[in-house]
């Protein structure tokens, strides 16, 4: 009580519907006054999203219920910084007004490269922000390129991680079209799944694509990865030497897209000296590696491993 004013405060929790409260002041000398207070109950829901790294995303923030009109609507990024529209800002947001579900305030993010929690806020005259969060998670699809000898076989794989649900469709393709056989999938576990394609008698360089279609909370997300299978030709040149003598053997690779790294082995042991490499010919992808072996007392079978 201060001067002629007195304030009565009621704290309410667990509100799940509109409420009307009546406040009554009764004077010591008799008589009373009453006033009603309307409490608007509103619900704010936001859609989460799971996307591939670098994709864009639209996040909905829907306000349902209440009779008051918000005086402000805001989005905040993962650092609690308000997102504003200005030149060069990668964000653009806009309101669609009243829909069948309620008032929708949409945030469009041009590029998302890491998991982020965005916060949507509706602000009313009588109080601070009523807010909720929208989580954007990033699915990752990993695969490696392959280098194989012409005519050989190889298994190539794609692995999706952080998938919110089991992929509904997994597809392998080349520029010639969809591949309908020759692949296997592991069981979906720990938000991850692997698909493996077995290729036989590889004859030429080929680019493969694996596609995962994954159900999300409000749609489907597609993540894709390309795998390049480079074919090369290896031509070994053997040699003969007298006991105790030396000989130079070589191996030539043709068709390498990048300059290779060569490792020579004598059985299981790596040979650390005695070899030399000719300059790599970019135009033809040709690379020649030579190894000189000295002090031969028996037949040796040498192995060259090429990494590109």
């Amino acid at each position: 009580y201060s001067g002629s004013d007195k304030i009565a405060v009621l704290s309410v929790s667990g509100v799940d519907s509109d409420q009307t409260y009546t406040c009554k002041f009764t004077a010591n000398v008799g008589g009373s006054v009453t006033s009603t207070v309307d409490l608007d109950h509103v619900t704010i829901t936001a859609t989460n999203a799971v996307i591939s790294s670098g994709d864009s995303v639209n996040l909905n923030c829907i306000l349902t219920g209440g009779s008051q009109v918000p005086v402000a609507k805001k989005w905040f990024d993962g650092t609690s910084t308000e997102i504003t529209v200005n030149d060069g800002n990668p964000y653009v947001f806009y309101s669609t007004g009243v829909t069948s579900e309620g008032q929708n305030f949409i945030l469009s993010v041009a590029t998302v490269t890491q998991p982020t929690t965005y916060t949507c806020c509706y602000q009313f005259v009588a109080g601070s922000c009523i807010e909720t969060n929208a989580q954007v998670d990033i699915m990752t699809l990993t695969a490696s390129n392959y280098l194989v000898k012409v005519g050989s076989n190889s298994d190539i794989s794609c692995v999706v991680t952080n998938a919110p649900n089991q992929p509904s469709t997994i597809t392998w393709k080349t520029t010639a079209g969809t591949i309908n056989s020759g692949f296997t999938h592991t069981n979906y576990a720990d938000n991850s799944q692997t698909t493996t394609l077995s290729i036989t008698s590889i004859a030429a360089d080929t680019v493969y694509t694996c596609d995962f279609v994954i159900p999300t909370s409000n749609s489907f997300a597609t993540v894709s990865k390309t795998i390049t299978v480079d074919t090369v030709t290896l031509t070994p040149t053997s040699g003969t030497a007298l006991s105790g003598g030396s000989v130079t053997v070589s191996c030539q690779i043709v068709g390498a897209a990048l300059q290779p790294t060569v490792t020579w082995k004598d059985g299981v042991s790596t040979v650390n000296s005695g070899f030399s490499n000719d300059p790599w010919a970019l135009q033809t992808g040709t690379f020649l590696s030579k190894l000189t072996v000295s002090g031969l007392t028996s037949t040796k079978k040498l192995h060259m491993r090429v990494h590109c």
Side-chain angles (χ1 to χ4, degrees), residues 197-221:
L197 176 66
S198 297
I199 316 169
T200 59
S201 302
I202 301 171
D205 297 350
T206 307
V207 176
Y208 295 86
T209 302
C210 59
D211 292 338
F212 286 75
V213 178
I214 300 168
T216 61
S217 60
N218 60 339
S219 184
F220 290 86

Side-chain angles (χ1 to χ4, degrees), residues 40-306:
D40 277 348
H41 173 262
V42 297
T43 302
I44 298 179
T45 55
T47 55
N48 299 323
V50 182
I51 61 173
S52 181
S53 179
D55 284 352
S56 61
V57 65
N58 292 331
L59 300 176
N60 297 317
C61 183
I62 299 174
L63 172 68
T64 305
S67 59
Q68 298 184 47
V69 178
V71 296
K73 294 168 287 188
K74 303 176 182 179
W75 277 97
F76 298 88
D77 65 12
T79 63
S80 299
T81 301
E82 184 180 353
I83 301 169
T84 58
V85 177
N86 54 60
D87 292 339
N89 195 319
Y91 305 98
V92 177
F93 60 84
Y94 56 91
S95 174
T96 60
V98 178
T99 68
S100 58
E101 297 177 286
Q103 188 172 159
N104 191 9
F105 189 43
I106 300 175
L107 172 67
S108 297
V109 188
T111 302
V112 182
T113 58
Q114 60 184 4
T116 306
T117 301
Y118 296 92
T119 301
C120 169
C121 154
Y122 283 89
Q123 188 171 4
F124 298 87
V125 173
S128 58
C129 276
I130 299 177
E131 60 186 36
T132 191
N133 293 332
Q135 179 66 34
V136 178
D137 288 317
I138 304 297
M139 285 182 292
T140 303
L141 191 56
T142 56
S144 299
N145 295 327
Y146 291 77
L147 177 73
V148 299
K149 291 192 295 183
V150 171
S152 64
N153 305 328
S154 183
D155 291 341
I156 61 176
S157 297
C158 285
V159 182
V160 65
T161 54
N162 201 35
N165 298 293
Q166 182 172 351
S168 58
T169 306
I170 302 175
T171 308
W172 282 96
K173 296 181 292 187
T174 67
T175 54
T178 301
I179 300 171
N180 297 313
S181 62
F183 48 80
T184 57
H185 312 315
T186 62
N187 292 329
Y188 173 76
D190 298 324
N191 301 105
S192 176
Q193 190 167 17
T194 300
T195 179
T196 300
L197 176 66
S198 297
I199 316 169
T200 59
S201 302
I202 301 171
D205 297 350
T206 307
V207 176
Y208 295 86
T209 302
C210 59
D211 292 338
F212 286 75
V213 178
I214 300 168
T216 61
S217 60
N218 60 339
S219 184
F220 290 86
T222 300
V223 286
S224 301
K225 193 75 174 180
T226 59
I227 301 173
T228 300
V229 177
D230 283 327
T231 54
V232 295
T233 301
L234 290 175
T235 305
T237 302
S238 302
T240 304
L242 294 173
S243 179
S246 61
V247 67
T248 298
V249 294
S250 66
C251 194
Q252 184 181 59
I253 181 173
V254 178
L258 298 172
Q259 181 171 345
T261 300
V262 174
T263 302
W264 284 93
K265 286 193 173 184
D266 178 2
V268 297
S269 301
T270 301
V271 179
N272 296 312
S273 61
F275 58 86
S276 62
N277 300 319
D278 285 358
W280 178 56
L282 173 63
Q283 291 79 7
T284 60
T286 301
F287 191 77
L288 179 66
S289 183
K290 293 173 285 188
L291 173 67
T292 299
V293 184
S294 302
L296 285 166
T297 58
S298 61
T299 299
K300 283 184 175 290
K301 189 173 184 179
L302 299 162
H303 174 73
M304 187 189 82
R305 176 172 292 175
V306 180

